[in-house]
Amino acid sequence: MKRLCLLFLLLCGSAALMAQRFSCPELIQDIRIWNEYQQPNNYLEWARSVKADHVYKTNAAGALEYVYVMTADRDVDLNAMRELALDYLAAQFKVSAQLRAEIARRSPTDAIFFTGLLKKIGTFYSLTDENYIDTQIQFDIRFKSNRVRFKVTIAEFRVVQTSDRRITQDKTVRVKDAYPLNKRSDHKDSYSKAFLNSNGKMLNYAGEFLNFFNKHIARKQAEEDW
């Protein structure tokens, strides 16, 4: 079975580390734990094991949620960080220039709020049907002069069932009501895959964000300081 390995570019040598402007030991540790975790032979067993060992994070409402504070080694212009966060989201989700401007307008001057769509993070099949699970992923990114708080949340799964290419069921299920967090839910295999993919993607987005900032922040800061 294909492993859900996370990006682990944050420990790629002392020279890279010295060049970094932002750091987050907690994120590096969480990625290491995920990549070293023993992965059973099927998604259902794997999800059950992750649940039992609590190798995932939730908020008070039961949604999957990861929060990391990334600290800079010196002050950085707030607008430079905000623009760079928009660059990151645009690259990850193919955000148009018009939507980017709308995200910036609706977000506070010290934050960026964005909701993206993850398609087919869980699938289940029959002889004639293709059924799948999508989800929305919410980004809440906030800035101070020497740090960024990166929060990403997945609260619900959208389950679409089809028959002869027609949608026969379209329902939304809270993550906490789906397997493995709810042992009595249906579609255990599919929810297991969605649960594992959600956790993996959320950690990957955090790791990619930190790498993206450290790769581009000097250029973005220079653009703001002209």
Side-chain angles (χ1 to χ4, degrees), residues 1 3 13 26 29 33 58 63 78 80 86 91 93 100 160 163 170 172 176 191 199 202 226:
M1 183 180 65
R3 291 171 60 89
E26 181 186 0
Q29 177 67 11
I33 289 171
T58 57
L78 289 180
L86 287 167
F93 292 93
R100 176 185 173 128
V160 179
S163 179
D170 187 342
T172 300
K176 70 176 185 179
Y191 283 135
N199 281 282
M202 294 166 82
W226 68 271

Side-chain angles (χ1 to χ4, degrees), residues 59 63-67 135-140 151-155 202:
N59 61 21
L64 295 173
E65 186 169 277
Y66 290 79
V67 183
T135 191
Q136 289 188 328
I137 182 166
Q138 298 173 331
F139 292 82
D140 180 337
K151 180 169 75 173
V152 62
T153 306
I154 291 178
M202 294 166 82

Side-chain angles (χ1 to χ4, degrees), residues 11-182:
L11 297 175
C12 294
S14 58
L17 286 174
M18 291 176 63
Q20 286 182 353
R21 295 290 300 276
F22 288 83
S23 61
C24 184
E26 181 186 0
L27 171 58
I28 293 174
Q29 177 67 11
D30 285 350
I31 290 174
R32 180 187 293 112
I33 289 171
W34 183 273
N35 282 337
E36 293 178 352
Y37 191 74
Q38 182 64 40
Q39 301 177 2
N41 291 326
N42 63 65
Y43 285 108
L44 193 149
E45 291 181 9
W46 184 4
R48 185 188 301 125
S49 181
V50 167
K51 165 72 164 51
D53 295 339
H54 211 82
V55 190
Y56 67 100
K57 296 185 178 182
T58 57
N59 61 21
L64 295 173
E65 186 169 277
Y66 290 79
V67 183
Y68 297 104
V69 176
M70 304 172 184
T71 305
D73 56 8
R74 70 204 75 174
D75 286 351
V76 182
D77 181 84
L78 289 180
N79 192 61
M81 289 192 285
R82 197 170 183 267
E83 287 297 312
L84 196 56
L86 287 167
D87 290 346
Y88 164 82
L89 292 171
Q92 292 288 345
F93 292 93
K94 298 181 180 179
V95 173
S96 67
Q98 182 179 1
L99 178 56
R100 176 185 173 128
E102 181 64 17
I103 295 167
R105 185 186 67 81
R106 291 187 296 182
S107 299
T109 57
D110 62 347
I112 291 294
F113 302 147
F114 173 75
T115 299
L117 176 63
L118 301 180
K119 301 192 70 174
K120 296 186 177 181
I121 59 169
T123 54
F124 47 107
Y125 301 94
S126 66
L127 290 176
T128 59
D129 303 340
E130 177 188 13
N131 308 307
Y132 55 89
I133 298 174
D134 297 339
T135 191
Q136 289 188 328
I137 182 166
Q138 298 173 331
F139 292 82
D140 180 337
I141 309 172
R142 304 185 186 231
F143 313 101
K144 291 191 176 181
S145 60
N146 65 341
R147 59 191 183 275
V148 179
R149 192 193 72 171
F150 180 94
K151 180 169 75 173
V152 62
T153 306
I154 291 178
E156 297 177 331
F157 294 138
R158 180 191 175 198
V159 183
V160 179
Q161 298 179 312
T162 65
S163 179
D164 295 327
R165 299 184 180 181
R166 293 178 298 177
I167 295 176
T168 57
Q169 185 178 73
D170 187 342
K171 66 178 181 179
T172 300
V173 178
R174 293 178 297 182
V175 171
K176 70 176 185 179
D177 293 330
Y179 195 84
L181 301 186
N182 176 13

Side-chain angles (χ1 to χ4, degrees), residues 178-192:
Y179 195 84
L181 301 186
N182 176 13
K183 294 181 180 179
R184 288 184 278 184
S185 78
D186 57 0
H187 301 307
K188 288 181 171 60
D189 287 330
S190 304
Y191 283 135
S192 292

